[in-house]
Amino acid sequence: MLRFIPILTIVLMIGPVSAGLIGTILPAFGILPALGGTTPSLEPWHALVVQPGLGASIRLSLVNGLIATFVSVAIVMLFCAAWQGTRTFHALQRILSPILSVPHATAAFGLAFLIAPSGWFVRVVAQFTGWDRPPDVAIIHDPWGIALIAGLVAKEIPFLFLMTLSALPQADTDRTAQVTASLGYGRVAGWFKATLPRIYPQIRLPVLAVLAYSTSVVDVAIILAPTTPAPLAVRILGWLSDPDLALRFMASSAAALQLLIVIAAMAIWIAGERLVAVIGARWAIDGQRFKQDGAVRGVSAVMALVAAGTVVLGLVVLLVWSVAGFWAFPDLLPRGFSLRVWARELDAIGNSLTTTLLIGIPAVVIAVTLVLACLENEVRTGKPAGRRAMFLIYLPLLVPQISFMFGLQVFFSLLGLERTLVSVVLGHLVFVAPYVFLSLSEPFRALDPRYGQTALCLGASPTRVFWQVRLPLLTRAVLTAAAVGLAVTVGQYLPTLLIGAGRFATVTTEAVALASGGDRRMIGIYGLFQMVLPFAGFALALLIPAVLFRHRRGMGAQNKG
């Protein structure tokens, strides 16, 4: 039975994506019998190309996604090169790890509250300039999408940083740094010349996942991106939600176009990788040491701290707005605080939290079970997942959600599962399982195999070794992976909205829906509740092992870090 689980997992990953893509591409060419489309046609594409502002929407999606990904990768690589192995590095690691649990929409709301014309940053400036009203400048929803890039960079840096952390030990970076230093290279130059070529192949798939997300993001774009025209993914969602069902055909062609945009972005990125590889190969052997790199190190630390600080400060301003009374510009703080809005929304918030958990808990449990079974199968067969298997597991993260969610909705309707809790859970599972695998695979594989071998020599069965030896030793890793999965499912917007057809109101769908209303107190409350569940999950991941193993020093040490 165990040997079939990896196949089942891959089917659950690529099955919905494949079905969703088929269900999107067929209507893109006029075939959707449920809406009267029975013959192939290019009419949906003709309708799409005459849409006003389509070129600007494509530019926003493609260019902003590439810029956000490049800036995120550059900051993470530069900071790791400059500070790996130092106290600053470990301190920022402690700051960035919890930020990973903050949903994208929450981080975007926090950033919006900071940089808006009436946000905290402008209020601070107003204390010195004497402004008595907000400046008439389009900072949020700016026409170039700079706010969108900033929001994506602030949230993707923690993810890429943690992916890089998991890759660093496999490159023996400490000894590499000692060797390059003994040869007279500066810290940054030595890291880029000797370490980066070995770790980048290991973080390449996460980088491409970030690129795919940044190029096709919807929830963050609704909050921060320009609106006239909006990025293509946001416009697709509008067409899919339109009461005129005939627009589904054009929306499908736009979703297929969005897929082509992501493929084009990846092609550009891969071409850039090869160009950098050629230039880097020559640079690596030119003999220049770059010993004086203090300025570069300082800049990298400032950029990383600004990114982390922006998210943290954004959470603080969300909290303040959620309890704010009258708050006039340019006051730095409200003139009074009140829990009136909290009390008024308590029932609605409770319902949203309940729905979020009803979707999230089954998705996380199934994902953790599948991943544990896959990893246990690796141990018993001695065959780790190859690159192709890893690619298939990553596939849902590399394909834009908006490109296959409508098709998946059609597929579930054919199965009679449309607008059901089961279909929404399965939709979330597609995105939760890859992150759980990422979180759990490294600690599972790093567990000393002698524990299991000793138990087998004492007569225990493989199943008993898993339940009574390996699983207890990995308690914290499993709970942390579950917390990561919960954070992912809480932040899912499109799968909940499209597959659930608007019937399931989670904290994220409610928060994003409030974006157009402009009620900052309500946005603050729902933004905070987006964080509550992931933070609670990570807190339990720390607390439960500490309680379970409080009288077992060895088990406690095994379940640290």
Side-chain angles (χ1 to χ4, degrees), residues 62-82:
L62 178 64
V63 176
N64 289 15
L66 283 167
I67 293 175
T69 306
F70 174 77
V71 174
S72 303
V73 173
I75 291 176
V76 170
M77 294 299 106
L78 197 58
F79 181 77
C80 289

Side-chain angles (χ1 to χ4, degrees), residues 99 107 110-111 114-115 121 150 154 304-316:
I99 292 177
L111 178 66
L114 288 175
I115 66 174
F121 289 165
L305 285 172
V306 166
T310 300
V311 177
V312 173
L313 202 57
L315 299 181
V316 174

Side-chain angles (χ1 to χ4, degrees), residues 29 45 104 190 245 256 273 321 325-326 331 428 497 534 545:
F29 290 94
W45 292 92
H104 284 81
L245 296 179
E273 287 178 348
W321 266 112
F326 181 71
D331 296 346
H428 280 226
L497 186 67

Side-chain angles (χ1 to χ4, degrees), residues 24 26 31 64 105 108 187 202 215 288 320 326 507 531:
T24 298
L26 289 179
I31 300 175
N64 289 15
R187 178 186 284 269
Q202 299 177 52
T215 311
Q288 296 187 53
V320 175
F326 181 71
V507 287
M531 293 186 334

Side-chain angles (χ1 to χ4, degrees), residues 112-125:
F113 283 7
L114 288 175
I115 66 174
S118 59
W120 252 4
F121 289 165
V122 176
R123 289 170 187 264
V124 171
V125 174

